[in-house]
mmCIF file of all heavy atoms in Angstrom:
data_model
loop_
_atom_site.group_PDB
_atom_site.id
_atom_site.type_symbol
_atom_site.label_atom_id
_atom_site.label_comp_id
_atom_site.label_asym_id
_atom_site.label_seq_id
_atom_site.Cartn_x
_atom_site.Cartn_y
_atom_site.Cartn_z
ATOM 1 N N ARG A 10 44.480 121.317 129.362
ATOM 2 C CA ARG A 10 44.272 120.379 128.265
ATOM 3 C C ARG A 10 43.759 119.079 128.850
ATOM 4 O O ARG A 10 44.385 118.503 129.726
ATOM 5 C CB ARG A 10 45.587 120.115 127.544
ATOM 6 C CG ARG A 10 46.049 121.290 126.719
ATOM 7 C CD ARG A 10 47.385 120.940 126.081
ATOM 8 N NE ARG A 10 47.908 122.064 125.333
ATOM 9 C CZ ARG A 10 47.542 122.351 124.083
ATOM 10 N NH1 ARG A 10 46.659 121.592 123.469
ATOM 11 N NH2 ARG A 10 48.068 123.383 123.453
ATOM 12 N N THR A 11 42.615 118.636 128.371
ATOM 13 C CA THR A 11 42.083 117.362 128.859
ATOM 14 C C THR A 11 42.185 116.330 127.750
ATOM 15 O O THR A 11 42.234 116.653 126.570
ATOM 16 C CB THR A 11 40.613 117.500 129.290
ATOM 17 O OG1 THR A 11 39.859 118.039 128.200
ATOM 18 C CG2 THR A 11 40.474 118.411 130.500
ATOM 19 N N ARG A 12 42.217 115.086 128.176
ATOM 20 C CA ARG A 12 42.201 113.972 127.229
ATOM 21 C C ARG A 12 40.926 113.192 127.493
ATOM 22 O O ARG A 12 40.499 113.048 128.637
ATOM 23 C CB ARG A 12 43.399 113.045 127.450
ATOM 24 C CG ARG A 12 44.726 113.752 127.611
ATOM 25 C CD ARG A 12 45.835 112.750 127.853
ATOM 26 N NE ARG A 12 46.134 112.016 126.633
ATOM 27 C CZ ARG A 12 46.923 112.486 125.662
ATOM 28 N NH1 ARG A 12 47.499 113.656 125.795
ATOM 29 N NH2 ARG A 12 47.132 111.766 124.595
ATOM 30 N N SER A 13 40.333 112.696 126.413
ATOM 31 C CA SER A 13 39.153 111.864 126.639
ATOM 32 C C SER A 13 38.937 110.948 125.448
ATOM 33 O O SER A 13 39.263 111.295 124.312
ATOM 34 C CB SER A 13 37.930 112.730 126.917
ATOM 35 O OG SER A 13 37.304 113.100 125.740
ATOM 36 N N GLY A 14 38.426 109.760 125.731
ATOM 37 C CA GLY A 14 38.243 108.822 124.641
ATOM 38 C C GLY A 14 37.587 107.534 125.094
ATOM 39 O O GLY A 14 37.339 107.322 126.278
ATOM 40 N N ILE A 16 37.451 103.430 125.334
ATOM 41 C CA ILE A 16 38.256 102.206 125.427
ATOM 42 C C ILE A 16 37.307 101.015 125.450
ATOM 43 O O ILE A 16 36.490 100.883 126.367
ATOM 44 C CB ILE A 16 39.075 102.167 126.734
ATOM 45 C CG1 ILE A 16 39.874 103.454 126.957
ATOM 46 C CG2 ILE A 16 39.949 100.909 126.774
ATOM 47 C CD1 ILE A 16 41.184 103.536 126.273
ATOM 48 N N MET A 33 37.313 100.137 137.785
ATOM 49 C CA MET A 33 37.925 101.361 137.258
ATOM 50 C C MET A 33 36.995 102.567 137.423
ATOM 51 O O MET A 33 37.444 103.685 137.646
ATOM 52 C CB MET A 33 38.335 101.171 135.795
ATOM 53 C CG MET A 33 39.485 100.172 135.650
ATOM 54 S SD MET A 33 40.364 100.266 134.053
ATOM 55 C CE MET A 33 39.218 99.456 132.984
ATOM 56 N N VAL A 34 35.689 102.309 137.306
ATOM 57 C CA VAL A 34 34.721 103.398 137.478
ATOM 58 C C VAL A 34 34.565 103.736 138.967
ATOM 59 O O VAL A 34 34.273 104.870 139.334
ATOM 60 C CB VAL A 34 33.360 102.988 136.861
ATOM 61 C CG1 VAL A 34 32.258 103.978 137.219
ATOM 62 C CG2 VAL A 34 33.479 102.874 135.348
ATOM 63 N N VAL A 55 32.115 105.300 133.031
ATOM 64 C CA VAL A 55 32.964 106.480 132.894
ATOM 65 C C VAL A 55 33.923 106.581 134.080
ATOM 66 O O VAL A 55 33.498 106.553 135.232
ATOM 67 C CB VAL A 55 32.100 107.759 132.823
ATOM 68 C CG1 VAL A 55 32.979 108.972 132.540
ATOM 69 C CG2 VAL A 55 31.012 107.615 131.757
ATOM 70 N N ALA A 56 35.213 106.679 133.783
ATOM 71 C CA ALA A 56 36.225 106.890 134.818
ATOM 72 C C ALA A 56 36.879 108.234 134.536
ATOM 73 O O ALA A 56 37.457 108.430 133.463
ATOM 74 C CB ALA A 56 37.265 105.774 134.802
ATOM 75 N N THR A 57 36.761 109.156 135.484
ATOM 76 C CA THR A 57 37.281 110.506 135.259
ATOM 77 C C THR A 57 38.402 110.819 136.235
ATOM 78 O O THR A 57 38.246 110.655 137.441
ATOM 79 C CB THR A 57 36.140 111.543 135.411
ATOM 80 O OG1 THR A 57 35.072 111.189 134.530
ATOM 81 C CG2 THR A 57 36.627 112.942 135.061
ATOM 82 N N GLY A 58 39.551 111.238 135.697
ATOM 83 C CA GLY A 58 40.685 111.672 136.509
ATOM 84 C C GLY A 58 40.761 113.190 136.489
ATOM 85 O O GLY A 58 39.852 113.847 135.981
ATOM 86 N N PRO A 59 41.847 113.758 137.029
ATOM 87 C CA PRO A 59 41.950 115.213 137.081
ATOM 88 C C PRO A 59 41.878 115.856 135.685
ATOM 89 O O PRO A 59 41.192 116.853 135.500
ATOM 90 C CB PRO A 59 43.317 115.469 137.724
ATOM 91 C CG PRO A 59 43.897 114.151 138.074
ATOM 92 C CD PRO A 59 42.982 113.062 137.632
ATOM 93 N N ASP A 60 42.569 115.263 134.710
ATOM 94 C CA ASP A 60 42.570 115.868 133.379
ATOM 95 C C ASP A 60 42.327 114.847 132.272
ATOM 96 O O ASP A 60 42.699 115.039 131.139
ATOM 97 C CB ASP A 60 43.882 116.633 133.141
ATOM 98 C CG ASP A 60 45.086 115.740 133.351
ATOM 99 O OD1 ASP A 60 44.906 114.549 133.666
ATOM 100 O OD2 ASP A 60 46.221 116.229 133.197
ATOM 101 N N TRP A 61 41.710 113.731 132.634
ATOM 102 C CA TRP A 61 41.379 112.729 131.612
ATOM 103 C C TRP A 61 40.051 112.075 131.916
ATOM 104 O O TRP A 61 39.582 112.072 133.057
ATOM 105 C CB TRP A 61 42.464 111.662 131.484
ATOM 106 C CG TRP A 61 42.889 111.027 132.787
ATOM 107 C CD1 TRP A 61 43.992 111.360 133.528
ATOM 108 C CD2 TRP A 61 42.232 109.960 133.510
ATOM 109 N NE1 TRP A 61 44.058 110.574 134.660
ATOM 110 C CE2 TRP A 61 43.003 109.702 134.660
ATOM 111 C CE3 TRP A 61 41.094 109.191 133.279
ATOM 112 C CZ2 TRP A 61 42.660 108.728 135.595
ATOM 113 C CZ3 TRP A 61 40.745 108.206 134.213
ATOM 114 C CH2 TRP A 61 41.532 107.987 135.349
ATOM 115 N N GLN A 62 39.420 111.579 130.870
ATOM 116 C CA GLN A 62 38.177 110.826 131.047
ATOM 117 C C GLN A 62 38.174 109.627 130.103
ATOM 118 O O GLN A 62 38.261 109.769 128.889
ATOM 119 C CB GLN A 62 36.972 111.705 130.741
ATOM 120 C CG GLN A 62 35.658 110.985 130.984
ATOM 121 C CD GLN A 62 34.467 111.924 130.933
ATOM 122 O OE1 GLN A 62 34.038 112.316 129.857
ATOM 123 N NE2 GLN A 62 33.934 112.284 132.086
ATOM 124 N N LEU A 63 38.080 108.445 130.723
ATOM 125 C CA LEU A 63 38.020 107.216 129.940
ATOM 126 C C LEU A 63 36.572 106.748 129.896
ATOM 127 O O LEU A 63 35.949 106.574 130.945
ATOM 128 C CB LEU A 63 38.854 106.117 130.599
ATOM 129 C CG LEU A 63 40.364 106.338 130.702
ATOM 130 C CD1 LEU A 63 40.976 105.302 131.641
ATOM 131 C CD2 LEU A 63 40.991 106.234 129.325
ATOM 132 N N VAL A 64 36.044 106.579 128.696
ATOM 133 C CA VAL A 64 34.729 105.957 128.563
ATOM 134 C C VAL A 64 34.994 104.487 128.280
ATOM 135 O O VAL A 64 35.445 104.119 127.195
ATOM 136 C CB VAL A 64 33.901 106.609 127.450
ATOM 137 C CG1 VAL A 64 32.502 106.000 127.416
ATOM 138 C CG2 VAL A 64 33.823 108.122 127.647
ATOM 139 N N LEU A 65 34.775 103.656 129.297
ATOM 140 C CA LEU A 65 35.086 102.229 129.201
ATOM 141 C C LEU A 65 33.862 101.493 128.676
ATOM 142 O O LEU A 65 32.792 101.569 129.270
ATOM 143 C CB LEU A 65 35.473 101.703 130.585
ATOM 144 C CG LEU A 65 36.664 102.449 131.200
ATOM 145 C CD1 LEU A 65 36.667 102.313 132.713
ATOM 146 C CD2 LEU A 65 37.972 101.945 130.598
ATOM 147 N N LEU A 166 45.639 98.365 139.149
ATOM 148 C CA LEU A 166 44.771 99.212 138.323
ATOM 149 C C LEU A 166 45.370 100.591 138.059
ATOM 150 O O LEU A 166 45.135 101.178 137.005
ATOM 151 C CB LEU A 166 43.385 99.361 138.961
ATOM 152 C CG LEU A 166 42.555 98.097 139.079
ATOM 153 C CD1 LEU A 166 41.103 98.447 139.363
ATOM 154 C CD2 LEU A 166 42.651 97.253 137.821
ATOM 155 N N GLY A 167 46.164 101.119 139.009
ATOM 156 C CA GLY A 167 46.755 102.452 138.852
ATOM 157 C C GLY A 167 47.582 102.570 137.577
ATOM 158 O O GLY A 167 47.292 103.418 136.714
ATOM 159 N N LEU A 169 47.601 100.681 135.001
ATOM 160 C CA LEU A 169 46.768 100.420 133.821
ATOM 161 C C LEU A 169 45.987 101.674 133.431
ATOM 162 O O LEU A 169 45.956 102.071 132.251
ATOM 163 C CB LEU A 169 45.808 99.255 134.109
ATOM 164 C CG LEU A 169 44.791 98.953 133.020
ATOM 165 C CD1 LEU A 169 45.468 98.568 131.711
ATOM 166 C CD2 LEU A 169 43.834 97.830 133.457
ATOM 167 N N LEU A 170 45.382 102.336 134.416
ATOM 168 C CA LEU A 170 44.623 103.563 134.124
ATOM 169 C C LEU A 170 45.524 104.650 133.536
ATOM 170 O O LEU A 170 45.155 105.325 132.572
ATOM 171 C CB LEU A 170 43.939 104.080 135.402
ATOM 172 C CG LEU A 170 42.662 103.340 135.806
ATOM 173 C CD1 LEU A 170 42.250 103.735 137.222
ATOM 174 C CD2 LEU A 170 41.516 103.622 134.830
ATOM 175 N N ASP A 171 46.729 104.803 134.106
ATOM 176 C CA ASP A 171 47.673 105.805 133.586
ATOM 177 C C ASP A 171 48.002 105.514 132.125
ATOM 178 O O ASP A 171 48.042 106.415 131.291
ATOM 179 C CB ASP A 171 48.974 105.792 134.405
ATOM 180 C CG ASP A 171 48.763 106.372 135.793
ATOM 181 O OD1 ASP A 171 47.749 107.073 135.991
ATOM 182 O OD2 ASP A 171 49.604 106.105 136.680
ATOM 183 N N HIS A 172 48.226 104.243 131.840
ATOM 184 C CA HIS A 172 48.572 103.866 130.462
ATOM 185 C C HIS A 172 47.413 104.168 129.514
ATOM 186 O O HIS A 172 47.606 104.736 128.441
ATOM 187 C CB HIS A 172 48.925 102.378 130.426
ATOM 188 C CG HIS A 172 49.285 101.893 129.054
ATOM 189 N ND1 HIS A 172 50.533 102.099 128.501
ATOM 190 C CD2 HIS A 172 48.553 101.247 128.113
ATOM 191 C CE1 HIS A 172 50.556 101.590 127.281
ATOM 192 N NE2 HIS A 172 49.376 101.059 127.018
ATOM 193 N N LEU A 173 46.201 103.791 129.915
ATOM 194 C CA LEU A 173 45.032 104.017 129.048
ATOM 195 C C LEU A 173 44.809 105.511 128.833
ATOM 196 O O LEU A 173 44.480 105.955 127.727
ATOM 197 C CB LEU A 173 43.779 103.369 129.652
ATOM 198 C CG LEU A 173 43.797 101.841 129.753
ATOM 199 C CD1 LEU A 173 42.535 101.344 130.448
ATOM 200 C CD2 LEU A 173 43.933 101.198 128.378
ATOM 201 N N ALA A 174 45.011 106.295 129.889
ATOM 202 C CA ALA A 174 44.799 107.745 129.775
ATOM 203 C C ALA A 174 45.767 108.354 128.768
ATOM 204 O O ALA A 174 45.461 109.373 128.140
ATOM 205 C CB ALA A 174 44.930 108.401 131.144
ATOM 206 N N ALA A 175 46.926 107.721 128.603
ATOM 207 C CA ALA A 175 47.901 108.252 127.642
ATOM 208 C C ALA A 175 47.560 107.831 126.210
ATOM 209 O O ALA A 175 48.065 108.410 125.255
ATOM 210 C CB ALA A 175 49.303 107.768 128.018
ATOM 211 N N LEU A 176 46.702 106.820 126.057
ATOM 212 C CA LEU A 176 46.359 106.329 124.714
ATOM 213 C C LEU A 176 45.259 107.154 124.042
ATOM 214 O O LEU A 176 45.081 107.091 122.828
ATOM 215 C CB LEU A 176 45.865 104.871 124.780
ATOM 216 C CG LEU A 176 46.879 103.761 125.022
ATOM 217 C CD1 LEU A 176 46.186 102.404 125.021
ATOM 218 C CD2 LEU A 176 47.968 103.792 123.965
ATOM 219 N N ILE A 177 44.495 107.897 124.836
ATOM 220 C CA ILE A 177 43.338 108.596 124.266
ATOM 221 C C ILE A 177 43.729 110.004 123.815
ATOM 222 O O ILE A 177 44.677 110.584 124.324
ATOM 223 C CB ILE A 177 42.169 108.643 125.280
ATOM 224 C CG1 ILE A 177 42.628 109.236 126.613
ATOM 225 C CG2 ILE A 177 41.554 107.267 125.451
ATOM 226 C CD1 ILE A 177 41.517 109.398 127.627
ATOM 227 N N PRO A 178 42.995 110.544 122.854
ATOM 228 C CA PRO A 178 43.370 111.842 122.288
ATOM 229 C C PRO A 178 42.999 113.020 123.192
ATOM 230 O O PRO A 178 42.188 112.878 124.107
ATOM 231 C CB PRO A 178 42.560 111.907 120.994
ATOM 232 C CG PRO A 178 41.414 110.987 121.185
ATOM 233 C CD PRO A 178 41.850 109.929 122.153
ATOM 234 N N GLY A 180 41.027 116.257 124.139
ATOM 235 C CA GLY A 180 39.673 116.674 123.793
ATOM 236 C C GLY A 180 38.848 116.867 125.041
ATOM 237 O O GLY A 180 39.265 116.464 126.135
ATOM 238 N N PRO A 181 37.679 117.492 124.885
ATOM 239 C CA PRO A 181 36.827 117.759 126.037
ATOM 240 C C PRO A 181 36.144 116.480 126.537
ATOM 241 O O PRO A 181 36.010 115.512 125.794
ATOM 242 C CB PRO A 181 35.777 118.729 125.488
ATOM 243 C CG PRO A 181 35.746 118.468 124.022
ATOM 244 C CD PRO A 181 37.117 118.001 123.629
ATOM 245 N N PHE A 182 35.709 116.494 127.797
ATOM 246 C CA PHE A 182 35.023 115.337 128.376
ATOM 247 C C PHE A 182 33.693 115.087 127.669
ATOM 248 O O PHE A 182 33.019 116.025 127.256
ATOM 249 C CB PHE A 182 34.747 115.566 129.869
ATOM 250 C CG PHE A 182 35.982 115.542 130.742
ATOM 251 C CD1 PHE A 182 35.883 115.793 132.109
ATOM 252 C CD2 PHE A 182 37.224 115.238 130.214
ATOM 253 C CE1 PHE A 182 37.017 115.758 132.918
ATOM 254 C CE2 PHE A 182 38.361 115.206 131.016
ATOM 255 C CZ PHE A 182 38.250 115.472 132.375
ATOM 256 N N PHE A 183 33.319 113.823 127.551
ATOM 257 C CA PHE A 183 32.027 113.458 126.963
ATOM 258 C C PHE A 183 30.920 113.443 128.014
ATOM 259 O O PHE A 183 29.751 113.596 127.711
ATOM 260 C CB PHE A 183 32.101 112.068 126.326
ATOM 261 C CG PHE A 183 32.986 112.008 125.121
ATOM 262 C CD1 PHE A 183 34.283 111.518 125.216
ATOM 263 C CD2 PHE A 183 32.524 112.442 123.887
ATOM 264 C CE1 PHE A 183 35.109 111.463 124.106
ATOM 265 C CE2 PHE A 183 33.332 112.385 122.773
ATOM 266 C CZ PHE A 183 34.631 111.905 122.884
ATOM 267 N N PHE A 184 31.308 113.171 129.272
ATOM 268 C CA PHE A 184 30.327 113.059 130.356
ATOM 269 C C PHE A 184 30.689 114.036 131.470
ATOM 270 O O PHE A 184 31.855 114.419 131.601
ATOM 271 C CB PHE A 184 30.320 111.631 130.937
ATOM 272 C CG PHE A 184 29.775 110.585 129.997
ATOM 273 C CD1 PHE A 184 30.595 109.982 129.044
ATOM 274 C CD2 PHE A 184 28.444 110.202 130.055
ATOM 275 C CE1 PHE A 184 30.096 109.017 128.176
ATOM 276 C CE2 PHE A 184 27.935 109.244 129.200
ATOM 277 C CZ PHE A 184 28.764 108.653 128.254
ATOM 278 N N PRO A 186 31.843 114.945 135.113
ATOM 279 C CA PRO A 186 32.770 114.159 135.925
ATOM 280 C C PRO A 186 32.091 113.239 136.948
ATOM 281 O O PRO A 186 32.643 112.216 137.325
ATOM 282 C CB PRO A 186 33.619 115.220 136.619
ATOM 283 C CG PRO A 186 33.552 116.401 135.719
ATOM 284 C CD PRO A 186 32.189 116.372 135.090
#
Side-chain angles (χ1 to χ4, degrees):
R10 288 178 183 277
T11 55
R12 314 179 72 82
S13 87
I16 309 276
M33 292 198 284
V34 170
V55 186
T57 305
D60 55 1
W61 50 262
Q62 183 169 77
L63 296 168
V64 184
L65 302 157
L166 296 195
L169 175 61
L170 282 168
D171 289 342
H172 180 80
L173 295 176
L176 286 181
I177 54 176
F182 290 177
F183 293 100
F184 291 85

